[in-house]
Amino acid sequence: MAAAAGDVCGSPAGAQPGAAAEARFISSAKGKGLFATRSIRKGETVFVERPVVASQFLWNALYNYRACDHCLRALETAEENAQRLLGKSSLVLPHPEQCSIRKDLHQQCPRCQVTYCSAECRQAALEQYHQVLCLGPSRDDPTHPLNKLQEAWRNMHYPPETSSIMLMARMVATVKQAKDKDWWIKAFSQFCSKTANEEEEIAHKLLGDKFKGQLELLRLLFTEALYDEHLSRWFTPEGFRSLFALVGTNGQGIGTSSLSQWVHACDALDLPMLQREELDAFIDQLYKDIEKESGEFLNCEGSGLYVLQSCCNHSCIPNAETSFPDNNFLLHLTALEDIEAGEEICISYLDCCQRERSRHSRNKILRENYLFTCSCPKCLAQADDPDATSDEEEEGEGETDDAELEDEMTDV
């Protein structure tokens, strides 16, 4: 059952009680991994985890993908969501009662007017980081240090977005507000680190060929906006690069959508056959029309740092997957097959289409984006395959059929 707004968004970070997995050290080369502490059945939720910190992507927010400033819950009704994505204000969705958005619960910060899905989220943000980051009457002032930092980031990191400088800002603000600053610094230090060369590769990937100059500009703006003596190392060139790489390596993408929630609710309706066929046809056509109008940018998007999820290693034949079925930042890890006690739990960093490509193609993507070569059972079994990308694969790149499109639009 999906959590109501505010039920768990303000609870402490980490997995909810009863998690069936734990992190264990594997080796200096591989680092940590996630292992089952008991037998887990296919389809079972391994754990539900709240991030240590999360933030919506800046371009996503600028383009009016309205989300709770704390938990990223979509704030538009399903009908408003569809109308915006279609550019058609006259659209009316059937079964409006299946929309889960509760606008009567929404609240704003009285000083800067950022919006939250509930009083619980507004309070949680205020207690963790928002006292430091609240812009107050300077929200629209382009000369404010935080606004300068965000504008610089947008000018360096265009859609499709994979990270946000504000995730780092919320990390700093969390420590600045905390009574026990050392506890939070230790919490952030749990996430895997990289070598200096790997950190540069991550910065290059996020910022492009001019990354060295851009990284230094970001560091200076970041320091102007947020400097704190307890975190002085994070503001040095080396420390800032490490912090940047930490977010780039460990940040988990988050997607929320009131429209997809409505679709899932409609799928569960017990309808006469004719009504079911009419509703399914309406939804299918809706997706096709939205894809033509808005392309791949469908969800409220951001990223977060999750302690347990970040320990999940990659496999091209994963036994678990992550999703966000509660329409907020709560991450659900679900078993794709039976997992025995002591077995490593792996997710895939590749989408379903990429996983069907050759070992060479899969590892090319992994090396470029995650800086490692996969040695999962599938890759080992294909070790003797030719190290070349087939013409068929190259021709197939970028092709998405209607069924895959619907899956992508609803799998949040």
Side-chain angles (χ1 to χ4, degrees), residues 52-277:
V52 180
V53 67
S55 180
Q56 186 178 6
F57 292 148
L58 292 178
W59 280 107
N60 191 258
L62 189 67
Y63 283 130
N64 294 318
Y65 288 74
R66 296 181 57 240
C68 174
D69 198 59
H70 182 64
C71 79
L72 273 72
R73 182 185 296 276
L75 297 177
E76 295 174 306
T77 65
E79 188 167 274
E80 289 170 339
N81 190 188
Q83 288 172 347
R84 177 175 55 79
L85 291 173
L86 274 176
K88 187 177 179 181
S89 60
S90 60
L91 175 75
V92 176
L93 291 185
H95 302 286
E97 75 284 352
Q98 297 304 314
C99 177
S100 61
I101 300 304
R102 293 282 307 277
K103 286 197 166 188
D104 57 309
L105 298 178
H106 295 179
Q107 294 201 1
Q108 289 185 320
C109 169
R111 296 191 65 240
C112 69
Q113 279 72 57
V114 297
T115 306
Y116 300 96
C117 68
S118 64
E120 290 85 354
C121 273
R122 183 171 72 85
Q123 189 63 28
L126 188 67
E127 291 177 357
Q128 184 179 339
Y129 55 80
H130 191 65
Q131 293 174 52
V132 169
L133 297 179
C134 182
L135 291 168
S138 300
R139 183 181 182 186
D140 297 320
D141 178 3
T143 66
H144 189 284
L146 275 173
N147 284 332
K148 287 163 60 179
L149 176 66
Q150 293 180 74
E151 181 64 18
W153 175 260
R154 280 193 293 266
N155 288 332
M156 297 177 191
H157 190 62
Y158 291 95
E161 298 170 275
T162 57
S163 191
S164 172
I165 195 72
M166 292 309 292
L167 194 61
M168 297 165 60
R170 288 189 176 183
M171 291 170 67
V172 172
T174 294
V175 176
K176 290 183 76 164
Q177 278 191 212
K179 293 180 180 178
D180 189 348
K181 299 181 188 299
D182 291 336
W183 186 93
W184 278 102
I185 293 172
K186 185 177 179 181
F188 290 130
S189 71
Q190 295 178 74
F191 295 96
C192 76
S193 57
K194 298 291 183 181
T195 65
N197 285 340
E198 288 174 328
E199 289 174 354
E200 288 214 348
E201 286 188 55
I202 293 165
H204 188 183
K205 183 68 181 176
L206 286 173
L207 299 177
D209 291 336
K210 298 178 181 178
F211 74 96
K212 288 187 177 179
Q214 291 181 328
L215 196 63
E216 179 59 13
L217 174 60
L218 285 174
R219 185 185 71 84
L220 293 174
L221 292 170
F222 196 75
T223 302
E224 179 188 0
L226 295 160
Y227 183 78
D228 185 83
E229 288 184 2
H230 288 90
L231 297 167
S232 57
R233 184 184 173 277
W234 285 5
F235 296 91
T236 66
E238 297 78 16
F240 185 74
R241 185 187 62 202
S242 296
L243 183 64
F244 196 84
L246 182 152
V247 168
T249 303
N250 296 279
Q252 162 68 43
I254 300 169
T256 64
S257 168
S258 53
L259 180 60
S260 74
Q261 291 276 301
W262 173 84
V263 170
H264 286 307
C266 286
D267 286 345
L269 289 174
D270 185 13
L271 298 173
M273 184 179 296
L274 182 59
Q275 290 184 33
R276 166 54 59 193
E277 290 175 352

Side-chain angles (χ1 to χ4, degrees), residues 302-364:
S303 61
L305 295 177
Y306 297 82
V307 175
L308 269 184
Q309 178 275 336
S310 71
C311 297
C312 286
N313 288 312
H314 164 83
S315 173
C316 297
I317 42 173
N319 56 11
E321 66 177 358
T322 60
S323 63
F324 299 89
D326 294 332
N327 192 33
N328 61 16
F329 63 16
L330 290 178
L331 179 148
H332 290 237
L333 187 73
T334 305
L336 293 174
E337 58 186 57
D338 291 347
I339 303 171
E340 298 307 316
E343 185 178 347
E344 185 174 7
I345 300 172
C346 294
I347 59 176
S348 181
Y349 302 169
L350 306 175
D351 63 35
C352 57
C353 295
Q354 291 170 334
R355 291 200 297 272
E356 294 308 312
R357 299 178 66 183
S358 68
R359 181 189 66 86
H360 173 75
S361 296
R362 295 196 306 272
N363 275 291
K364 184 173 183 288

Side-chain angles (χ1 to χ4, degrees), residues 265-290:
C266 286
D267 286 345
L269 289 174
D270 185 13
L271 298 173
M273 184 179 296
L274 182 59
Q275 290 184 33
R276 166 54 59 193
E277 290 175 352
E278 290 176 347
L279 180 58
D280 288 348
F282 175 87
I283 291 171
D284 289 344
Q285 188 60 49
L286 178 65
Y287 279 148
K288 292 175 184 177
D289 293 343
I290 287 175

